[in-house]
């Protein structure tokens, strides 16, 4: 099981997690744009072809039409949302670990780490749901060419005007269904890989940069392996016209399986997995770096 070299500080986790989140957005946003465009492209009419043939084609078309900036469309919303979200996410994980310890030296089991990760998923949904809704709408708008929203704040205002707070938080249940089990898997697999890569008799703090990058990247892949099906449903639901799915995600699921089969629940899989490794490797490296700095700055916090 994992060695706990230092008492868990949810507050340090909060600040280090925020820095990790910024690293994640810069590394992962281009492929996130491609993922959402692939997941939400309309079904072609008979005789027509899909707008994007796949991940590479979507990447090429976006670059050709919109340049590099097109890949970073809608990034203001995740930077504003992801920094506090990852801060809250790592805070929730730290708190989840601390709550299960009887003494500060207790070493947690993998099921306990999974439970702590699930708690972090509950914490992040409050920030995640509206941020994801805005991001998806802005990414779709850029692809369709119809400009309805001037930017993230305008999008929030219009959603609030049209349907109140419910419009802004549309898709919250699906965000929970995605993030609670996926966050459990995310943190548990990261700790498991860190244990696996730490040489006997050494502490986690002595892990090399490549080892941290590998553990973080693989944790991202494990996280998304669990998260993709509810993520596809969420993207569809959050970008659908008002009233299209009166029974919520059940209608989305029925329509997707009826029209496109079970494989459609893994739409955007390549883009997600291509992004998951570098983005989460960057996130955990940023987190570990910030954590070391904070432990040096305020060892007793």
């Amino acid at each position: 099981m994992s060695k706990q070299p230092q008492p868990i500080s949810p507050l340090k986790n909060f600040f280090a997690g925020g820095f990790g989140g910024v690293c994640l957005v810069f590394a992962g946003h281009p492929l996130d744009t491609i993922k959402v465009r692939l997941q939400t492209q309309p079904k072609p009419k008979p005789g027509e072809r899909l707008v994007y043939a796949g991940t590479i084609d979507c990447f090429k078309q976006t670059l050709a039409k919109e340049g590099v900036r097109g890949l970073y469309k809608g990034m203001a919303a995740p930077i504003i949302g992801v920094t506090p979200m990852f801060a809250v996410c790592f805070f929730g994980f730290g708190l989840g670990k601390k709550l299960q310890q009887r003494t500060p030296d207790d070493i947690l089991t993998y099921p306990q780490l999974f439970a702590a990760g699930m708690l972090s998923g509950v914490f992040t949904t409050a920030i995640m749901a509206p941020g994801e809704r805005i991001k998806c709408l802005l990414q779709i708008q850029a692809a369709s060419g119809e400009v309805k929203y001037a930017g993230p704040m305008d999008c929030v205002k219009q959603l609030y005007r049209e349907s109140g707070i419910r419009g802004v938080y549309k898709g919250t249940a699906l965000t929970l269904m995605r993030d609670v089990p996926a966050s459990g898997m995310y943190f548990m697999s990261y700790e498991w890989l860190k244990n696996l890569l730490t040489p006997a008799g050494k502490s986690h703090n002595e892990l090399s940069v490549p080892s941290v990058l590998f553990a973080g990247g693989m944790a991202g892949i494990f996280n998304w392996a669990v998260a993709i099906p509810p993520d596809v449903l969420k993207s569809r639901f959050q970008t659908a016209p008002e009233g299209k799915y009166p029974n919520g995600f059940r209608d989305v699921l029925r329509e997707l399986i009826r029209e496109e089969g079970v494989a459609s629940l893994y739409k955007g899989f390549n883009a997600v997995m291509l992004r998951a490794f570098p983005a989460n490797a960057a996130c955990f490296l940023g987190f570990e770096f910030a954590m070391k700095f904070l432990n040096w700055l305020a060892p007793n916090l």
Side-chain angles (χ1 to χ4, degrees), residues 52-83:
Y52 307 115
T55 304
I56 306 293
D57 182 47
C58 184
F59 186 75
K60 280 185 188 156
Q61 282 197 48
T62 303
L63 268 184
K65 289 179 193 159
E66 302 164 60
V68 174
R69 283 183 64 181
L71 294 170
Y72 282 93
K73 278 268 164 70
M75 193 171 87
I79 281 277
I80 295 161
V82 162
T83 309

Side-chain angles (χ1 to χ4, degrees), residues 12-36:
K12 281 183 190 163
N13 272 24
F14 179 83
F15 290 112
F19 183 70
V22 173
C23 297
L24 175 132
V25 174
F26 273 103
H29 193 78
L31 279 157
D32 187 67
T33 300
I34 287 165
K35 176 202 75 161
V36 173

Side-chain angles (χ1 to χ4, degrees), residues 108-125:
L108 298 176
T109 63
Y110 291 121
Q112 284 176 313
L113 290 167
F114 188 83
M118 291 207 305
L119 181 68
S120 86
V122 175
F123 269 70
T124 50
T125 296

Side-chain angles (χ1 to χ4, degrees), residues 151-169:
M153 288 318 293
D154 182 50
C155 184
V156 173
K157 281 182 199 150
Q158 287 198 46
L159 288 173
Y160 188 75
R161 217 174 24 245
E162 286 163 20
S163 347
I165 199 77
R166 280 186 66 182
V168 180
Y169 272 88

Side-chain angles (χ1 to χ4, degrees), residues 97-147:
K97 288 199 291 186
K98 209 174 170 71
L99 288 173
Q100 296 181 88
Q101 281 185 319
R102 288 195 189 86
T103 71
D105 315 329
D106 270 7
I107 289 163
L108 298 176
T109 63
Y110 291 121
Q112 284 176 313
L113 290 167
F114 188 83
M118 291 207 305
L119 181 68
S120 86
V122 175
F123 269 70
T124 50
T125 296
I127 303 172
M128 192 76 161
E132 287 271 308
R133 171 117 157 98
I134 295 155
K135 175 178 72 67
C136 288
L137 288 170
L138 291 173
Q139 284 170 327
I140 294 306
Q141 164 179 292
S144 69
E146 289 172 38
V147 178

Side-chain angles (χ1 to χ4, degrees), residues 3 28 41 49 51 54 64 81 84 87 91 98 114 149 165 183 192 194 202 220 225 227 239 245 259 296:
K3 288 193 184 101
Q41 63 178 326
R49 287 168 49 187
V51 182
F91 172 81
K98 209 174 170 71
F114 188 83
Y149 308 111
I165 199 77
S183 295
W192 169 64
K194 273 207 312 186
K202 297 269 188 180
T239 55
Y245 300 115
E259 290 185 1
W296 169 78

